[in-house]
Amino acid sequence: MADGADTTEDLARAAAIARGTLRLLADLGLCGIQEMTLANNRRADIAAIGPGGEVWMVEIKSGVADFRSDAKWPEYMPFCDRFWFAVDHDFPQELIPEEAGLIVADAFGAAVIREAPAEKLSPARRKAVTLRLARLAAMRLSAAADAGWTASEAALTSTGL
């Protein structure tokens, strides 16, 4: 079990990877949000939508132990057109499965190392995921604009949507 310092370091590393990955996605024309709950009750670290409606999901891994302890990542794939792992430069890239794309990131930016295979969503699933993402983003924007209002944790991850 990790001690408090290890946990704090892992959280800081994950936050840096997320920041750099979101910057990369924006450079690629996608708008992303963090922590979106899917219809199967899994929570994507980053969900993003492109100008043509394409949906990408990114799973952030702060280290090898984080990667090895996560067997649920295939459950994200039915909810996106492309699925990626984002890691830092020290992560052993050969661990990332071929079914996923690979992004290497730090707090300032990121690079695509390996493209994610594309699997188009069905129109009904695309609509459901797009609506969930849009409502979650709008809810978070409303919460940020209204200093006196606090959304429930369920609402902030879209469980209540």
Side-chain angles (χ1 to χ4, degrees):
M1 184 171 170
D3 66 22
D6 289 341
T7 301
T8 301
E9 186 177 314
D10 286 347
L11 289 172
R13 186 177 298 117
I17 294 167
R19 181 179 184 215
T21 300
L22 286 165
R23 287 179 170 193
L24 170 69
L25 294 173
D27 287 345
L28 295 173
L30 290 103
C31 300
I33 60 171
Q34 294 185 63
E35 301 291 328
M36 185 175 98
T37 302
L38 307 173
N40 65 357
N41 290 319
R42 295 294 182 205
R43 189 167 52 223
D45 291 331
I46 296 175
I49 191 162
E54 62 275 18
V55 177
W56 290 12
M57 299 217 176
V58 181
E59 180 69 6
I60 295 168
K61 292 298 161 200
S62 61
V64 174
D66 182 24
F67 176 78
R68 289 196 170 136
S69 68
D70 180 5
K72 66 187 181 306
W73 65 267
E75 296 176 40
Y76 300 108
M77 296 176 83
F79 295 90
C80 59
D81 296 302
R82 290 183 179 229
F83 178 79
W84 307 77
F85 280 100
V87 299
D88 69 10
H89 70 280
D90 291 333
F91 190 94
Q93 296 176 11
E94 63 276 4
L95 292 179
I96 301 300
E98 292 295 321
E99 301 92 343
L102 174 60
I103 294 169
V104 173
D106 62 21
F108 304 101
V112 171
I113 303 303
R114 182 177 70 226
E115 287 288 334
E119 291 287 330
K120 287 207 171 238
L121 289 171
S122 71
R125 176 67 55 92
R126 180 176 313 286
K127 179 180 178 182
V129 173
T130 300
L131 285 172
R132 186 176 288 256
L133 195 152
R135 287 176 49 82
L136 177 59
M139 184 182 308
R140 289 184 181 165
L141 185 58
S142 293
D146 187 348
W149 180 68
T150 303
S152 70
E153 177 62 26
L156 291 176
T157 59
S158 80
T159 302
L161 296 179

